[in-house]
Amino acid sequence: MPRDGAPDRTETAMSATTLPTATAPLPPEAATTLHPADLAALLDLRQPEAAWETLAALPLARRAETFGYLSATTQVAVAAVAPRRALAELVSAMDADERADLWARLPEEAREALAPALAAAEREDIRKLASYPPGTAGAVMTSDYAVLRPEMTARDAIEALRRQAASKETIHVAYVLSTGRRLLGTVTLEDLVLSPPDRPVSQIMHADAPAVRAEEPAEQAARIVARYDLPAVPVLNGGDAMVGIVTADDAMDVAEAEATTDFHKAGGSASLGVALREATIGLLYRKRIVWLVVLVFANVFSGAGIAAFEEVIAANVALVFFLPLLIDSGGNAGSQAATLMVRALATGEARLADWGRMLGRETLVAALLGLTMAGAVSLLGLVRGGPEIALVVAATMVCVVLVGSLVGLSLPFLLSRFGLDPATASAPLITTIADASGVLIYFAIASALLMG
């Protein structure tokens, strides 16, 4: 709730979106009173020229913070219309990781124009951060972290943090380094304040600080931050020297991006890479068509299975009534199992070594689910086709739920085993496999029980 009767920030942001045109800059009261994240959300809806005019009127620190909240597409567009000197000033004021991200998004000609206007230290910092492959911890880290020496006293350390505070991402946690930038431990500002002034930092620090390698996936850094409830996790290079930190807010962004990618893959499409509202028709088409075409051909097997049992179907037309129900049940059971396993593998709750134990448990669970569903569908079988049809339908239900569940469980493990993303075991893929196998199971059981 807002204090002192002030208007709610969200309401203010919503009212600002009612401005008559996206080509005009925001009113000064909106630009100065909104939180930078809310202000950036409004600027994302405006033309680049109007967005830059609004940003240019802000103090440099607020301008850089707001710019960091803009979408990637808007950042590039605004950078294209900003004067070179003003853009260089803005880039210099940005956090190191956000600066490197922007640099990676800019076209080559924009980089060449901007580089001479940046200080040599900033260019070198951008070069180092941008050299790590996308998706790694090094690619999302920042080099703005507080450093202390082990021989410092608590009093000296606090004074050192006071000097570093203006240019660092955070001073709540400082990193104790040796002369070779080897990580010796971490110390919090609270630890320093509560310790005797003359106590050495080496006696205050926590020597067992978790860390991540720069070449490791960024998701690993996010897991460490979440597991140990850290404000940031240190990043080490191949020589064990500390090169940066991944902060909690960046870890949250990584986790959100990974969840979004997995969600897209689970739906049978590739990640868009941009906000949905900014995606073009061509991009949406390209990201979705591949899986749909693959699944079209995969579904041919279902049709072939039906064609192979034409005589059974002709002699027992009531079987057709239950076909969609049965194959959908197998696909649904498989999608459930796959969703659980993909998420467990992504979060580290399950490992490849757990497959055998989880397969046995899933077999029992799937059998219980299948028997319960078979009991329900057998009643329909009795009404529509009599006892024989009811037996066929019930037996098929148990089998398709069992097969669908085991495929849904095993496919993510199999993909992981071959170094592929388990999220590729998408719901459409599982459903297609379950459909084809369900048709064969259904009519094979029907043929054995009704035509034998």
Side-chain angles (χ1 to χ4, degrees):
M1 293 290 292
R3 292 176 294 181
D4 300 328
D8 182 76
R9 193 171 63 200
T10 304
E11 293 178 358
T12 305
M14 291 177 63
S15 65
T17 61
T18 61
L19 290 172
T21 173
T23 60
L26 292 175
E29 61 272 14
T32 55
T33 59
L34 288 175
H35 186 278
D38 295 330
L39 176 57
L42 297 182
L43 294 180
D44 278 332
L45 303 175
R46 318 202 75 69
Q47 293 297 323
E49 294 80 3
W52 171 250
E53 189 174 343
T54 301
L55 288 170
L58 299 174
L60 180 59
R62 181 172 171 82
R63 187 188 317 161
E65 185 178 6
T66 303
F67 190 86
Y69 281 110
L70 294 175
S71 68
T73 304
T74 303
Q75 283 188 353
V76 174
V78 170
V81 300
R84 188 183 71 165
R85 186 173 298 279
L87 179 61
E89 184 182 46
L90 171 64
V91 171
S92 299
M94 292 173 66
D95 291 337
D97 54 335
E98 294 179 349
R99 186 165 55 215
D101 290 341
L102 173 63
W103 185 264
R105 297 183 189 117
L106 292 177
E108 186 62 33
E109 58 272 18
R111 297 182 196 173
E112 293 177 356
L114 178 61
L118 297 175
E122 292 166 353
R123 292 198 301 270
E124 179 63 16
D125 187 56
I126 289 175
R127 185 194 66 78
K128 288 180 179 179
L129 294 179
S131 66
Y132 294 100
T136 62
V140 298
M141 72 181 182
T142 177
S143 56
D144 294 336
Y145 55 94
V147 175
L148 298 176
R149 297 295 180 189
E151 64 274 10
M152 286 181 171
T153 63
R155 180 190 296 107
D156 294 337
I158 292 173
E159 183 59 33
L161 292 180
R162 183 178 289 111
R163 293 193 299 269
Q164 298 180 50
S167 60
K168 303 306 178 185
E169 186 88 6
T170 177
I171 61 168
H172 297 297
V173 176
Y175 300 89
V176 185
L177 305 182
S178 67
T179 52
R181 300 197 68 80
R182 297 290 184 98
L183 179 64
L184 302 178
T186 61
V187 61
T188 67
L189 184 59
E190 181 182 14
D191 291 335
L192 294 173
V193 171
L194 296 178
S195 296
D198 295 329
R199 178 170 294 175
V201 168
S202 59
Q203 296 180 15
I204 306 172
M205 69 181 187
H206 305 279
D208 55 348
V212 66
R213 295 285 178 181
E215 66 274 8
E216 287 188 279
E219 293 82 5
Q220 178 63 17
R223 292 191 195 107
I224 292 176
V225 167
R227 180 175 182 178
Y228 297 101
D229 195 21
L230 300 174
V233 59
V235 181
L236 311 180
N237 64 14
D240 288 337
M242 185 171 172
V243 291
I245 59 172
V246 176
T247 57
D249 57 336
D250 289 330
M252 289 176 60
D253 292 340
V254 169
E256 180 183 0
E258 179 65 12
T260 300
T261 299
D262 288 349
F263 189 82
H264 286 155
K265 289 181 178 179
S269 66
S271 179
L272 298 178
V274 298
L276 181 60
R277 68 172 180 268
E278 299 172 354
T280 63
I281 293 176
L283 176 63
L284 291 171
Y285 172 83
R286 292 194 305 272
K287 294 297 185 179
R288 297 168 64 181
I289 190 60
V290 175
W291 263 116
L292 291 177
V293 171
V294 169
L295 295 176
V296 164
F297 288 101
N299 281 316
V300 170
F301 293 102
S302 298
I306 294 174
F309 291 97
E310 286 183 359
E311 293 183 8
V312 179
I313 298 172
N316 303 273
V317 179
L319 292 173
V320 177
F321 174 80
F322 298 97
L323 181 59
L325 182 152
L326 291 170
I327 62 176
D328 283 353
S329 296
N332 292 339
S335 297
Q336 280 187 340
T339 300
L340 292 173
M341 291 317 307
V342 168
R343 186 58 183 163
L345 289 170
T347 58
E349 295 176 4
R351 299 169 297 175
L352 292 177
D354 298 325
W355 178 77
R357 181 173 62 86
M358 301 191 75
L359 184 66
R361 187 177 63 178
E362 184 64 21
T363 301
L364 178 58
V365 172
L368 292 173
L369 293 172
L371 288 170
T372 304
M373 297 168 71
V377 79
S378 62
L379 298 177
L380 293 175
L382 285 171
V383 174
R384 295 285 302 189
E388 291 184 331
I389 296 295
L391 179 60
V392 170
V393 171
T396 302
M397 180 63 79
V398 174
C399 292
V400 297
V401 171
L402 188 62
V403 170
S405 296
L406 296 184
V407 170
L409 173 88
S410 301
L411 193 55
F413 278 102
L414 184 64
L415 293 170
S416 294
R417 176 66 180 82
F418 289 100
L420 301 174
D421 190 341
T424 307
S426 63
L429 176 60
I430 297 293
T431 301
T432 301
I433 295 174
D435 286 354
S437 60
V439 167
L440 296 176
I441 291 170
Y442 183 32
F443 290 118
I445 291 176
S447 180
L449 297 180
L450 302 178
M451 304 295 287

